[in-house]
Amino acid sequence: MSEGRGLFSSVKAVLFDYDGTLVDFESSSTQALKLVAKEATEYLREIGDFKLSLEEKMLAIAKDLDASGVYDRVLWWEKALEELNLKADPELLFEWTSLYWSVASKNEPYEDALDVVEYLKRKGYKLGLVTNTDGRGGNKLKRVSSFPLISAFDLILIGGENDLKPKPNLQIFVEACERLGGAGEWCVMIGDDPVKDTIPAKKAGILSVLVDRRGIHRNPELYADFVVSNLKELEDLL
């Protein structure tokens, strides 16, 4: 890790992604999607001869639209129904969205996230949270405010809100670093998504660390300046 420590020797501020980096959003989101799919399937069976289950379709569409930067869950449900040549009342779609967030907003923090945030704060680093909006029906600020150590963060920026463009737009990375008092290699971005976190950070001239907890990325070193499988490894870099 000595090579990595040298690479990050100029860092004074650490930027974190939220979902998938500090908290386990995938588990709660998947559970929420399955619940909405069940509700939608039952609704369609009530109004007609509908024998399919929407679970697999909704999970696939959610993955694709999230990767494309579509955060409005109402649009997720519309897309799933559209592919079946079906429609539902907008109020019902919003009810499904409310149902989704009633489950998806309950995120457990990763233990290593709590440890490393405390470590970095003790070391005197400035900490920033750089995340994207939850879209219609969600409340990202409320959700991140439930993180046990949120008071340790000096800055919270939510892309897609308050005139900030969502990741992977470079604007939010540059602004976060500038607001914390520096630029370029003065900051490092920590995130689990190459497309939304580490690649755009690198394009913005900011150092980046990819968190690949499950080893799902092929050649992860191509997407970031450094790769870790656990946030505790940051203690050997910073």
Side-chain angles (χ1 to χ4, degrees):
M1 289 284 189
S2 57
E3 180 181 347
R5 185 178 287 277
L7 179 64
F8 298 104
S9 60
S10 61
V11 169
K12 303 297 181 185
V14 183
L15 309 176
F16 282 96
D17 167 55
Y18 191 63
D19 296 324
T21 301
L22 296 180
V23 299
D24 181 9
F25 182 65
E26 183 178 358
S27 295
S28 57
S29 177
T30 299
Q31 183 182 354
L33 282 166
K34 290 181 177 180
L35 185 58
V36 171
K38 180 181 178 181
E39 287 283 317
T41 299
E42 290 177 355
Y43 164 75
L44 293 172
R45 286 173 179 167
E46 286 177 3
I47 65 172
D49 185 18
F50 189 78
K51 296 183 173 58
L52 301 175
S53 169
L54 283 174
E55 182 175 310
E56 186 174 340
K57 181 171 290 295
M58 280 191 169
L59 289 171
I61 286 174
K63 181 178 180 180
D64 290 343
L65 293 184
D66 182 67
S68 301
V70 178
Y71 303 106
D72 189 336
R73 269 58 180 179
V74 169
L75 297 179
W76 290 13
W77 324 140
E78 284 183 346
K79 179 68 174 176
L81 294 176
E82 182 182 293
E83 293 196 3
L84 296 169
N85 295 314
L86 297 169
K87 289 185 179 181
D89 186 276
E91 290 187 8
L92 182 59
L93 297 177
F94 194 80
E95 285 181 17
W96 293 348
T97 300
S98 297
L99 176 63
Y100 170 89
W101 282 117
S102 71
V103 176
S105 62
K106 299 172 183 176
N107 315 130
E108 290 295 323
Y110 291 114
E111 185 175 342
D112 60 334
L114 299 177
D115 290 342
V116 82
V117 168
E118 288 183 333
Y119 167 82
L120 293 172
K121 202 63 180 177
R122 286 198 307 270
K123 295 280 286 187
Y125 287 97
K126 292 187 176 181
L127 302 182
L129 195 62
V130 179
T131 186
N132 279 343
T133 182
D134 282 343
R136 198 169 15 159
N139 188 330
K140 192 57 168 284
L141 183 58
K142 180 179 180 181
R143 195 152 65 81
V144 301
S145 296
S146 68
F147 185 71
L149 296 177
I150 194 62
S151 61
F153 287 83
D154 303 284
L155 177 70
I156 299 172
L157 292 185
I158 301 175
E161 299 180 12
N162 301 316
D163 297 321
L164 282 172
K165 295 180 179 178
K167 300 183 293 182
N169 190 282
L170 307 191
Q171 174 203 16
I172 194 169
F173 300 98
V174 174
E175 184 153 344
C177 201
E178 289 179 347
R179 287 202 199 181
L180 290 175
E185 293 182 358
W186 200 84
C187 290
V188 59
M189 176 67 197
I190 316 293
D192 70 305
D193 189 325
V195 175
K196 295 178 187 174
D197 298 323
T198 58
I199 293 175
K202 284 173 66 66
K203 288 181 179 178
I206 297 170
L207 290 167
S208 65
V209 175
L210 177 64
V211 185
D212 190 11
R213 294 180 182 278
R214 295 176 294 161
I216 62 174
H217 299 294
R218 295 184 62 184
N219 302 315
E221 66 279 357
L222 298 177
Y223 309 126
D225 294 299
F226 213 85
V227 182
V228 299
S229 59
N230 187 296
L231 289 175
K232 289 282 287 181
E233 295 175 53
L234 293 176
E235 295 180 11
D236 293 324
L237 302 177
L238 299 167

